[in-house]
Amino acid sequence: LQPRSSMIRDLEPTYREVLFSALVALWFAMGMGALPGSEDWINTIGLVAFSIVLVWAAYRQMKLNVASLWTPIMWYRVALLSYYAIGSLVPIWTNADTQELMQGFYSYFPYEIVKLNLLITTFNLVFLATVKILFIVISNKSIMKPFIDRKLISPSNFNMITFGSICLIVGSAVNYLIIFPQVVGWINLSFFSTLANLSVLSWLGYFMVIFWGLENKRREFIIWPIALALGESAIGFFAMSKSVMLMPLVMVGIAFIYHRRSLFRISLLAGSFVTLFMFLAPIITHVRDMNGKYYDSAVTAKDIPGLYLSYFTTGRESDQYADVETGWMRLSFVNAGTFVINQYDH
């Protein structure tokens, strides 16, 4: 692998991305001196522009090389988009109950949100500029001459289907032979948490086996991993865990995107994930609360479906936070961010 191979070159931020990021940061810098009462629109316009830049950069990177999906800079953009672009819009445009609950931690003012957004976008600008400079240095042949003939990455001794199958078998064995029996109360292992960590191997297995099946037109290597993924999501239902319910399905979706990437497929996966997350967030919160309140966090498997059902019957009526948009609220760190800035300033 040469230092300037296609894979590495495709990760390089463009001058356009750096420029647009600078303009967004400049927008918030100018907003610091704006008229009182205009902060909401300053934040909204700036954050929408910030979101567009992040989405465009992430999509461009995946379009150039789908393998960049596994690189940190891709998920850096996704995290910024989720928590500091969309998340920072939450306290501006959600309902009054959500805003009141968020301000229960720290009662921020609109101009403090502008200051937080200025800090975040400035950090993003500095980060992208630094990465761009590093790529310019890498492209300098005199600097990189000692590395030109060095073999940086060796081929793996495992092919994809072998390694993916091993991950899937180990992860699924942990899911169905340890985690599920533990969740429903059939066994009680004192070292359960240690073994449970191995279950995430199944997520990698879903991706690798399904992708191999799609590439080689082997239907059986597509169907049975999907069946195992649905089963793991069912385990997440009894474990009252959003991540266990959603991540297997996400990895299945990524395999299909990896096989044939398109804007439609990426949008469909992202939209489905966000919709499911927003739907499940308040339900899981309610179920966990009921489990702690009435069952001392030791509900039996046969009673768990009833807890889910109670959310749609009497749960919302008796829940004082029923009108709080918890799914959106969990994306926002505005109250924590503005609190830290306030403490630093004083």
Side-chain angles (χ1 to χ4, degrees), residues 175-207:
N175 280 323
Y176 291 100
L177 301 179
I178 297 176
I179 293 181
F180 182 69
Q182 179 89 7
V183 167
V184 299
W186 294 345
I187 61 175
N188 185 18
L189 299 178
S190 57
F191 50 91
F192 169 73
S193 298
T194 303
L195 291 174
N197 291 329
L198 295 174
S199 67
V200 298
L201 287 174
S202 63
W203 299 353
L204 184 59
Y206 298 140
F207 163 74

PDB file of all heavy atoms in Angstrom, residues 175-207:
ATOM      1  N   ASN A 175     -25.013 -14.846  22.028  1.00  0.00           N
ATOM      2  CA  ASN A 175     -26.357 -14.262  22.074  1.00  0.00           C
ATOM      3  C   ASN A 175     -27.414 -15.277  22.498  1.00  0.00           C
ATOM      4  O   ASN A 175     -28.236 -15.003  23.388  1.00  0.00           O
ATOM      5  CB  ASN A 175     -26.733 -13.695  20.697  1.00  0.00           C
ATOM      6  CG  ASN A 175     -26.125 -12.334  20.446  1.00  0.00           C
ATOM      7  OD1 ASN A 175     -26.031 -11.517  21.354  1.00  0.00           O
ATOM      8  ND2 ASN A 175     -25.694 -12.093  19.225  1.00  0.00           N
ATOM      9  N   TYR A 176     -27.396 -16.458  21.857  1.00  0.00           N
ATOM     10  CA  TYR A 176     -28.489 -17.419  22.041  1.00  0.00           C
ATOM     11  C   TYR A 176     -28.249 -18.415  23.175  1.00  0.00           C
ATOM     12  O   TYR A 176     -29.215 -18.960  23.718  1.00  0.00           O
ATOM     13  CB  TYR A 176     -28.725 -18.171  20.732  1.00  0.00           C
ATOM     14  CG  TYR A 176     -29.309 -17.288  19.660  1.00  0.00           C
ATOM     15  CD1 TYR A 176     -28.499 -16.747  18.658  1.00  0.00           C
ATOM     16  CD2 TYR A 176     -30.657 -16.962  19.656  1.00  0.00           C
ATOM     17  CE1 TYR A 176     -29.023 -15.922  17.669  1.00  0.00           C
ATOM     18  CE2 TYR A 176     -31.190 -16.140  18.676  1.00  0.00           C
ATOM     19  CZ  TYR A 176     -30.376 -15.617  17.687  1.00  0.00           C
ATOM     20  OH  TYR A 176     -30.909 -14.789  16.734  1.00  0.00           O
ATOM     21  N   LEU A 177     -26.986 -18.634  23.538  1.00  0.00           N
ATOM     22  CA  LEU A 177     -26.697 -19.619  24.584  1.00  0.00           C
ATOM     23  C   LEU A 177     -26.364 -18.998  25.936  1.00  0.00           C
ATOM     24  O   LEU A 177     -26.383 -19.689  26.958  1.00  0.00           O
ATOM     25  CB  LEU A 177     -25.541 -20.525  24.144  1.00  0.00           C
ATOM     26  CG  LEU A 177     -25.758 -21.316  22.848  1.00  0.00           C
ATOM     27  CD1 LEU A 177     -24.534 -22.149  22.530  1.00  0.00           C
ATOM     28  CD2 LEU A 177     -27.005 -22.186  22.946  1.00  0.00           C
ATOM     29  N   ILE A 178     -26.052 -17.689  25.942  1.00  0.00           N
ATOM     30  CA  ILE A 178     -25.684 -17.033  27.202  1.00  0.00           C
ATOM     31  C   ILE A 178     -26.581 -15.829  27.494  1.00  0.00           C
ATOM     32  O   ILE A 178     -27.232 -15.760  28.535  1.00  0.00           O
ATOM     33  CB  ILE A 178     -24.201 -16.603  27.181  1.00  0.00           C
ATOM     34  CG1 ILE A 178     -23.297 -17.841  27.066  1.00  0.00           C
ATOM     35  CG2 ILE A 178     -23.857 -15.809  28.445  1.00  0.00           C
ATOM     36  CD1 ILE A 178     -21.823 -17.524  26.939  1.00  0.00           C
ATOM     37  N   ILE A 179     -26.620 -14.868  26.548  1.00  0.00           N
ATOM     38  CA  ILE A 179     -27.344 -13.619  26.823  1.00  0.00           C
ATOM     39  C   ILE A 179     -28.843 -13.857  26.950  1.00  0.00           C
ATOM     40  O   ILE A 179     -29.477 -13.415  27.924  1.00  0.00           O
ATOM     41  CB  ILE A 179     -27.052 -12.574  25.727  1.00  0.00           C
ATOM     42  CG1 ILE A 179     -25.596 -12.135  25.799  1.00  0.00           C
ATOM     43  CG2 ILE A 179     -27.980 -11.356  25.890  1.00  0.00           C
ATOM     44  CD1 ILE A 179     -25.211 -11.092  24.784  1.00  0.00           C
ATOM     45  N   PHE A 180     -29.444 -14.555  25.978  1.00  0.00           N
ATOM     46  CA  PHE A 180     -30.890 -14.779  26.045  1.00  0.00           C
ATOM     47  C   PHE A 180     -31.300 -15.579  27.287  1.00  0.00           C
ATOM     48  O   PHE A 180     -32.228 -15.165  28.002  1.00  0.00           O
ATOM     49  CB  PHE A 180     -31.392 -15.456  24.777  1.00  0.00           C
ATOM     50  CG  PHE A 180     -32.882 -15.680  24.763  1.00  0.00           C
ATOM     51  CD1 PHE A 180     -33.751 -14.600  24.676  1.00  0.00           C
ATOM     52  CD2 PHE A 180     -33.413 -16.955  24.856  1.00  0.00           C
ATOM     53  CE1 PHE A 180     -35.128 -14.792  24.679  1.00  0.00           C
ATOM     54  CE2 PHE A 180     -34.786 -17.159  24.867  1.00  0.00           C
ATOM     55  CZ  PHE A 180     -35.637 -16.071  24.769  1.00  0.00           C
ATOM     56  N   PRO A 181     -30.646 -16.695  27.602  1.00  0.00           N
ATOM     57  CA  PRO A 181     -31.004 -17.401  28.842  1.00  0.00           C
ATOM     58  C   PRO A 181     -30.823 -16.555  30.093  1.00  0.00           C
ATOM     59  O   PRO A 181     -31.604 -16.655  31.043  1.00  0.00           O
ATOM     60  CB  PRO A 181     -30.059 -18.609  28.846  1.00  0.00           C
ATOM     61  CG  PRO A 181     -29.726 -18.834  27.413  1.00  0.00           C
ATOM     62  CD  PRO A 181     -29.682 -17.470  26.807  1.00  0.00           C
ATOM     63  N   GLN A 182     -29.799 -15.681  30.091  1.00  0.00           N
ATOM     64  CA  GLN A 182     -29.580 -14.808  31.248  1.00  0.00           C
ATOM     65  C   GLN A 182     -30.701 -13.778  31.356  1.00  0.00           C
ATOM     66  O   GLN A 182     -31.208 -13.495  32.452  1.00  0.00           O
ATOM     67  CB  GLN A 182     -28.225 -14.100  31.120  1.00  0.00           C
ATOM     68  CG  GLN A 182     -27.879 -13.143  32.253  1.00  0.00           C
ATOM     69  CD  GLN A 182     -27.166 -13.821  33.401  1.00  0.00           C
ATOM     70  OE1 GLN A 182     -26.806 -14.979  33.307  1.00  0.00           O
ATOM     71  NE2 GLN A 182     -26.951 -13.089  34.484  1.00  0.00           N
ATOM     72  N   VAL A 183     -31.103 -13.221  30.220  1.00  0.00           N
ATOM     73  CA  VAL A 183     -32.128 -12.175  30.208  1.00  0.00           C
ATOM     74  C   VAL A 183     -33.477 -12.715  30.683  1.00  0.00           C
ATOM     75  O   VAL A 183     -34.197 -12.052  31.450  1.00  0.00           O
ATOM     76  CB  VAL A 183     -32.247 -11.556  28.793  1.00  0.00           C
ATOM     77  CG1 VAL A 183     -33.511 -10.715  28.679  1.00  0.00           C
ATOM     78  CG2 VAL A 183     -31.032 -10.703  28.483  1.00  0.00           C
ATOM     79  N   VAL A 184     -33.831 -13.918  30.235  1.00  0.00           N
ATOM     80  CA  VAL A 184     -35.138 -14.472  30.596  1.00  0.00           C
ATOM     81  C   VAL A 184     -35.110 -15.210  31.931  1.00  0.00           C
ATOM     82  O   VAL A 184     -36.148 -15.719  32.385  1.00  0.00           O
ATOM     83  CB  VAL A 184     -35.669 -15.412  29.493  1.00  0.00           C
ATOM     84  CG1 VAL A 184     -35.848 -14.658  28.197  1.00  0.00           C
ATOM     85  CG2 VAL A 184     -34.749 -16.608  29.301  1.00  0.00           C
ATOM     86  N   GLY A 185     -33.937 -15.288  32.567  1.00  0.00           N
ATOM     87  CA  GLY A 185     -33.851 -15.859  33.909  1.00  0.00           C
ATOM     88  C   GLY A 185     -33.607 -17.344  33.976  1.00  0.00           C
ATOM     89  O   GLY A 185     -33.756 -17.958  35.043  1.00  0.00           O
ATOM     90  N   TRP A 186     -33.204 -17.976  32.865  1.00  0.00           N
ATOM     91  CA  TRP A 186     -32.933 -19.414  32.885  1.00  0.00           C
ATOM     92  C   TRP A 186     -31.604 -19.728  33.559  1.00  0.00           C
ATOM     93  O   TRP A 186     -31.429 -20.802  34.120  1.00  0.00           O
ATOM     94  CB  TRP A 186     -32.932 -19.973  31.462  1.00  0.00           C
ATOM     95  CG  TRP A 186     -34.276 -19.904  30.804  1.00  0.00           C
ATOM     96  CD1 TRP A 186     -35.482 -19.678  31.420  1.00  0.00           C
ATOM     97  CD2 TRP A 186     -34.554 -20.052  29.411  1.00  0.00           C
ATOM     98  NE1 TRP A 186     -36.500 -19.671  30.506  1.00  0.00           N
ATOM     99  CE2 TRP A 186     -35.965 -19.903  29.244  1.00  0.00           C
ATOM    100  CE3 TRP A 186     -33.781 -20.295  28.288  1.00  0.00           C
ATOM    101  CZ2 TRP A 186     -36.588 -19.989  28.008  1.00  0.00           C
ATOM    102  CZ3 TRP A 186     -34.399 -20.384  27.053  1.00  0.00           C
ATOM    103  CH2 TRP A 186     -35.781 -20.228  26.909  1.00  0.00           C
ATOM    104  N   ILE A 187     -30.630 -18.804  33.442  1.00  0.00           N
ATOM    105  CA  ILE A 187     -29.330 -18.984  34.081  1.00  0.00           C
ATOM    106  C   ILE A 187     -28.970 -17.700  34.806  1.00  0.00           C
ATOM    107  O   ILE A 187     -29.590 -16.644  34.583  1.00  0.00           O
ATOM    108  CB  ILE A 187     -28.227 -19.344  33.062  1.00  0.00           C
ATOM    109  CG1 ILE A 187     -28.060 -18.208  32.020  1.00  0.00           C
ATOM    110  CG2 ILE A 187     -28.509 -20.668  32.387  1.00  0.00           C
ATOM    111  CD1 ILE A 187     -26.906 -18.438  31.067  1.00  0.00           C
ATOM    112  N   ASN A 188     -27.965 -17.759  35.652  1.00  0.00           N
ATOM    113  CA  ASN A 188     -27.505 -16.575  36.382  1.00  0.00           C
ATOM    114  C   ASN A 188     -25.988 -16.664  36.546  1.00  0.00           C
ATOM    115  O   ASN A 188     -25.481 -17.242  37.498  1.00  0.00           O
ATOM    116  CB  ASN A 188     -28.190 -16.475  37.746  1.00  0.00           C
ATOM    117  CG  ASN A 188     -27.830 -15.191  38.470  1.00  0.00           C
ATOM    118  OD1 ASN A 188     -27.348 -14.232  37.855  1.00  0.00           O
ATOM    119  ND2 ASN A 188     -28.033 -15.168  39.777  1.00  0.00           N
ATOM    120  N   LEU A 189     -25.265 -16.104  35.565  1.00  0.00           N
ATOM    121  CA  LEU A 189     -23.806 -16.168  35.561  1.00  0.00           C
ATOM    122  C   LEU A 189     -23.225 -14.919  36.208  1.00  0.00           C
ATOM    123  O   LEU A 189     -23.597 -13.794  35.847  1.00  0.00           O
ATOM    124  CB  LEU A 189     -23.285 -16.293  34.131  1.00  0.00           C
ATOM    125  CG  LEU A 189     -23.730 -17.536  33.341  1.00  0.00           C
ATOM    126  CD1 LEU A 189     -23.169 -17.483  31.930  1.00  0.00           C
ATOM    127  CD2 LEU A 189     -23.283 -18.806  34.048  1.00  0.00           C
ATOM    128  N   SER A 190     -22.296 -15.102  37.127  1.00  0.00           N
ATOM    129  CA  SER A 190     -21.671 -13.961  37.800  1.00  0.00           C
ATOM    130  C   SER A 190     -20.720 -13.217  36.874  1.00  0.00           C
ATOM    131  O   SER A 190     -20.464 -12.027  37.067  1.00  0.00           O
ATOM    132  CB  SER A 190     -20.916 -14.438  39.049  1.00  0.00           C
ATOM    133  OG  SER A 190     -19.944 -15.408  38.690  1.00  0.00           O
ATOM    134  N   PHE A 191     -20.178 -13.909  35.865  1.00  0.00           N
ATOM    135  CA  PHE A 191     -19.244 -13.284  34.912  1.00  0.00           C
ATOM    136  C   PHE A 191     -19.950 -12.994  33.583  1.00  0.00           C
ATOM    137  O   PHE A 191     -19.332 -12.997  32.531  1.00  0.00           O
ATOM    138  CB  PHE A 191     -18.030 -14.181  34.688  1.00  0.00           C
ATOM    139  CG  PHE A 191     -18.368 -15.613  34.367  1.00  0.00           C
ATOM    140  CD1 PHE A 191     -18.533 -16.023  33.055  1.00  0.00           C
ATOM    141  CD2 PHE A 191     -18.534 -16.536  35.387  1.00  0.00           C
ATOM    142  CE1 PHE A 191     -18.857 -17.337  32.760  1.00  0.00           C
ATOM    143  CE2 PHE A 191     -18.853 -17.862  35.094  1.00  0.00           C
ATOM    144  CZ  PHE A 191     -19.017 -18.262  33.769  1.00  0.00           C
ATOM    145  N   PHE A 192     -21.246 -12.727  33.659  1.00  0.00           N
ATOM    146  CA  PHE A 192     -22.070 -12.513  32.458  1.00  0.00           C
ATOM    147  C   PHE A 192     -21.548 -11.356  31.607  1.00  0.00           C
ATOM    148  O   PHE A 192     -21.453 -11.464  30.383  1.00  0.00           O
ATOM    149  CB  PHE A 192     -23.508 -12.249  32.885  1.00  0.00           C
ATOM    150  CG  PHE A 192     -24.401 -11.769  31.773  1.00  0.00           C
ATOM    151  CD1 PHE A 192     -24.823 -12.626  30.778  1.00  0.00           C
ATOM    152  CD2 PHE A 192     -24.815 -10.443  31.724  1.00  0.00           C
ATOM    153  CE1 PHE A 192     -25.641 -12.187  29.754  1.00  0.00           C
ATOM    154  CE2 PHE A 192     -25.634  -9.993  30.707  1.00  0.00           C
ATOM    155  CZ  PHE A 192     -26.046 -10.877  29.721  1.00  0.00           C
ATOM    156  N   SER A 193     -21.204 -10.226  32.225  1.00  0.00           N
ATOM    157  CA  SER A 193     -20.795  -9.028  31.469  1.00  0.00           C
ATOM    158  C   SER A 193     -19.565  -9.292  30.624  1.00  0.00           C
ATOM    159  O   SER A 193     -19.444  -8.783  29.499  1.00  0.00           O
ATOM    160  CB  SER A 193     -20.541  -7.868  32.427  1.00  0.00           C
ATOM    161  OG  SER A 193     -21.716  -7.528  33.125  1.00  0.00           O
ATOM    162  N   THR A 194     -18.621 -10.060  31.156  1.00  0.00           N
ATOM    163  CA  THR A 194     -17.403 -10.359  30.405  1.00  0.00           C
ATOM    164  C   THR A 194     -17.715 -11.146  29.139  1.00  0.00           C
ATOM    165  O   THR A 194     -17.229 -10.825  28.044  1.00  0.00           O
ATOM    166  CB  THR A 194     -16.422 -11.162  31.286  1.00  0.00           C
ATOM    167  OG1 THR A 194     -16.138 -10.415  32.467  1.00  0.00           O
ATOM    168  CG2 THR A 194     -15.126 -11.430  30.541  1.00  0.00           C
ATOM    169  N   LEU A 195     -18.529 -12.182  29.265  1.00  0.00           N
ATOM    170  CA  LEU A 195     -18.896 -12.991  28.099  1.00  0.00           C
ATOM    171  C   LEU A 195     -19.772 -12.209  27.126  1.00  0.00           C
ATOM    172  O   LEU A 195     -19.679 -12.385  25.910  1.00  0.00           O
ATOM    173  CB  LEU A 195     -19.628 -14.253  28.554  1.00  0.00           C
ATOM    174  CG  LEU A 195     -18.791 -15.305  29.301  1.00  0.00           C
ATOM    175  CD1 LEU A 195     -19.688 -16.427  29.803  1.00  0.00           C
ATOM    176  CD2 LEU A 195     -17.694 -15.861  28.403  1.00  0.00           C
ATOM    177  N   ALA A 196     -20.631 -11.336  27.659  1.00  0.00           N
ATOM    178  CA  ALA A 196     -21.558 -10.582  26.805  1.00  0.00           C
ATOM    179  C   ALA A 196     -20.826  -9.681  25.818  1.00  0.00           C
ATOM    180  O   ALA A 196     -21.352  -9.367  24.742  1.00  0.00           O
ATOM    181  CB  ALA A 196     -22.507  -9.760  27.670  1.00  0.00           C
ATOM    182  N   ASN A 197     -19.613  -9.265  26.162  1.00  0.00           N
ATOM    183  CA  ASN A 197     -18.851  -8.407  25.258  1.00  0.00           C
ATOM    184  C   ASN A 197     -18.549  -9.095  23.930  1.00  0.00           C
ATOM    185  O   ASN A 197     -18.360  -8.436  22.908  1.00  0.00           O
ATOM    186  CB  ASN A 197     -17.537  -7.974  25.923  1.00  0.00           C
ATOM    187  CG  ASN A 197     -17.753  -7.011  27.072  1.00  0.00           C
ATOM    188  OD1 ASN A 197     -18.702  -6.239  27.064  1.00  0.00           O
ATOM    189  ND2 ASN A 197     -16.879  -7.049  28.059  1.00  0.00           N
ATOM    190  N   LEU A 198     -18.493 -10.427  23.941  1.00  0.00           N
ATOM    191  CA  LEU A 198     -18.204 -11.165  22.711  1.00  0.00           C
ATOM    192  C   LEU A 198     -19.385 -11.151  21.735  1.00  0.00           C
ATOM    193  O   LEU A 198     -19.218 -11.487  20.564  1.00  0.00           O
ATOM    194  CB  LEU A 198     -17.845 -12.615  23.043  1.00  0.00           C
ATOM    195  CG  LEU A 198     -16.554 -12.836  23.841  1.00  0.00           C
ATOM    196  CD1 LEU A 198     -16.416 -14.295  24.216  1.00  0.00           C
ATOM    197  CD2 LEU A 198     -15.341 -12.368  23.041  1.00  0.00           C
ATOM    198  N   SER A 199     -20.547 -10.769  22.215  1.00  0.00           N
ATOM    199  CA  SER A 199     -21.737 -10.804  21.349  1.00  0.00           C
ATOM    200  C   SER A 199     -21.647  -9.823  20.191  1.00  0.00           C
ATOM    201  O   SER A 199     -22.277 -10.046  19.146  1.00  0.00           O
ATOM    202  CB  SER A 199     -22.991 -10.513  22.168  1.00  0.00           C
ATOM    203  OG  SER A 199     -22.986  -9.170  22.638  1.00  0.00           O
ATOM    204  N   VAL A 200     -20.875  -8.747  20.367  1.00  0.00           N
ATOM    205  CA  VAL A 200     -20.785  -7.749  19.292  1.00  0.00           C
ATOM    206  C   VAL A 200     -20.055  -8.293  18.072  1.00  0.00           C
ATOM    207  O   VAL A 200     -20.098  -7.680  16.998  1.00  0.00           O
ATOM    208  CB  VAL A 200     -20.103  -6.456  19.791  1.00  0.00           C
ATOM    209  CG1 VAL A 200     -20.918  -5.808  20.894  1.00  0.00           C
ATOM    210  CG2 VAL A 200     -18.690  -6.725  20.265  1.00  0.00           C
ATOM    211  N   LEU A 201     -19.372  -9.433  18.214  1.00  0.00           N
ATOM    212  CA  LEU A 201     -18.752 -10.048  17.038  1.00  0.00           C
ATOM    213  C   LEU A 201     -19.806 -10.397  15.993  1.00  0.00           C
ATOM    214  O   LEU A 201     -19.521 -10.402  14.788  1.00  0.00           O
ATOM    215  CB  LEU A 201     -17.990 -11.312  17.454  1.00  0.00           C
ATOM    216  CG  LEU A 201     -16.676 -11.117  18.212  1.00  0.00           C
ATOM    217  CD1 LEU A 201     -16.134 -12.459  18.676  1.00  0.00           C
ATOM    218  CD2 LEU A 201     -15.651 -10.392  17.350  1.00  0.00           C
ATOM    219  N   SER A 202     -21.012 -10.685  16.435  1.00  0.00           N
ATOM    220  CA  SER A 202     -22.079 -11.028  15.478  1.00  0.00           C
ATOM    221  C   SER A 202     -22.378  -9.854  14.555  1.00  0.00           C
ATOM    222  O   SER A 202     -22.738 -10.054  13.388  1.00  0.00           O
ATOM    223  CB  SER A 202     -23.342 -11.461  16.219  1.00  0.00           C
ATOM    224  OG  SER A 202     -23.865 -10.400  17.004  1.00  0.00           O
ATOM    225  N   TRP A 203     -22.246  -8.621  15.038  1.00  0.00           N
ATOM    226  CA  TRP A 203     -22.516  -7.456  14.198  1.00  0.00           C
ATOM    227  C   TRP A 203     -21.569  -7.430  13.005  1.00  0.00           C
ATOM    228  O   TRP A 203     -21.993  -7.195  11.868  1.00  0.00           O
ATOM    229  CB  TRP A 203     -22.391  -6.167  15.000  1.00  0.00           C
ATOM    230  CG  TRP A 203     -23.342  -6.068  16.155  1.00  0.00           C
ATOM    231  CD1 TRP A 203     -24.366  -6.923  16.457  1.00  0.00           C
ATOM    232  CD2 TRP A 203     -23.359  -5.057  17.167  1.00  0.00           C
ATOM    233  NE1 TRP A 203     -25.021  -6.507  17.590  1.00  0.00           N
ATOM    234  CE2 TRP A 203     -24.425  -5.367  18.057  1.00  0.00           C
ATOM    235  CE3 TRP A 203     -22.584  -3.939  17.419  1.00  0.00           C
ATOM    236  CZ2 TRP A 203     -24.732  -4.591  19.169  1.00  0.00           C
ATOM    237  CZ3 TRP A 203     -22.884  -3.155  18.532  1.00  0.00           C
ATOM    238  CH2 TRP A 203     -23.954  -3.477  19.395  1.00  0.00           C
ATOM    239  N   LEU A 204     -20.284  -7.672  13.269  1.00  0.00           N
ATOM    240  CA  LEU A 204     -19.312  -7.726  12.176  1.00  0.00           C
ATOM    241  C   LEU A 204     -19.619  -8.900  11.260  1.00  0.00           C
ATOM    242  O   LEU A 204     -19.496  -8.808  10.031  1.00  0.00           O
ATOM    243  CB  LEU A 204     -17.896  -7.846  12.746  1.00  0.00           C
ATOM    244  CG  LEU A 204     -16.730  -7.827  11.746  1.00  0.00           C
ATOM    245  CD1 LEU A 204     -16.747  -6.536  10.941  1.00  0.00           C
ATOM    246  CD2 LEU A 204     -15.406  -7.993  12.475  1.00  0.00           C
ATOM    247  N   GLY A 205     -20.038 -10.003  11.862  1.00  0.00           N
ATOM    248  CA  GLY A 205     -20.378 -11.187  11.072  1.00  0.00           C
ATOM    249  C   GLY A 205     -21.542 -10.952  10.130  1.00  0.00           C
ATOM    250  O   GLY A 205     -21.520 -11.405   8.972  1.00  0.00           O
ATOM    251  N   TYR A 206     -22.591 -10.260  10.597  1.00  0.00           N
ATOM    252  CA  TYR A 206     -23.733  -9.961   9.726  1.00  0.00           C
ATOM    253  C   TYR A 206     -23.261  -9.232   8.471  1.00  0.00           C
ATOM    254  O   TYR A 206     -23.652  -9.584   7.355  1.00  0.00           O
ATOM    255  CB  TYR A 206     -24.766  -9.090  10.442  1.00  0.00           C
ATOM    256  CG  TYR A 206     -25.383  -9.712  11.666  1.00  0.00           C
ATOM    257  CD1 TYR A 206     -25.624  -8.963  12.813  1.00  0.00           C
ATOM    258  CD2 TYR A 206     -25.735 -11.061  11.693  1.00  0.00           C
ATOM    259  CE1 TYR A 206     -26.197  -9.527  13.947  1.00  0.00           C
ATOM    260  CE2 TYR A 206     -26.302 -11.631  12.819  1.00  0.00           C
ATOM    261  CZ  TYR A 206     -26.524 -10.858  13.943  1.00  0.00           C
ATOM    262  OH  TYR A 206     -27.069 -11.425  15.061  1.00  0.00           O
ATOM    263  N   PHE A 207     -22.449  -8.217   8.685  1.00  0.00           N
ATOM    264  CA  PHE A 207     -21.983  -7.420   7.554  1.00  0.00           C
ATOM    265  C   PHE A 207     -21.162  -8.260   6.581  1.00  0.00           C
ATOM    266  O   PHE A 207     -21.430  -8.286   5.372  1.00  0.00           O
ATOM    267  CB  PHE A 207     -21.157  -6.231   8.036  1.00  0.00           C
ATOM    268  CG  PHE A 207     -20.315  -5.622   6.956  1.00  0.00           C
ATOM    269  CD1 PHE A 207     -20.894  -4.850   5.969  1.00  0.00           C
ATOM    270  CD2 PHE A 207     -18.948  -5.871   6.901  1.00  0.00           C
ATOM    271  CE1 PHE A 207     -20.126  -4.314   4.940  1.00  0.00           C
ATOM    272  CE2 PHE A 207     -18.173  -5.347   5.883  1.00  0.00           C
ATOM    273  CZ  PHE A 207     -18.763  -4.568   4.900  1.00  0.00           C
TER     274      PHE A 207
END
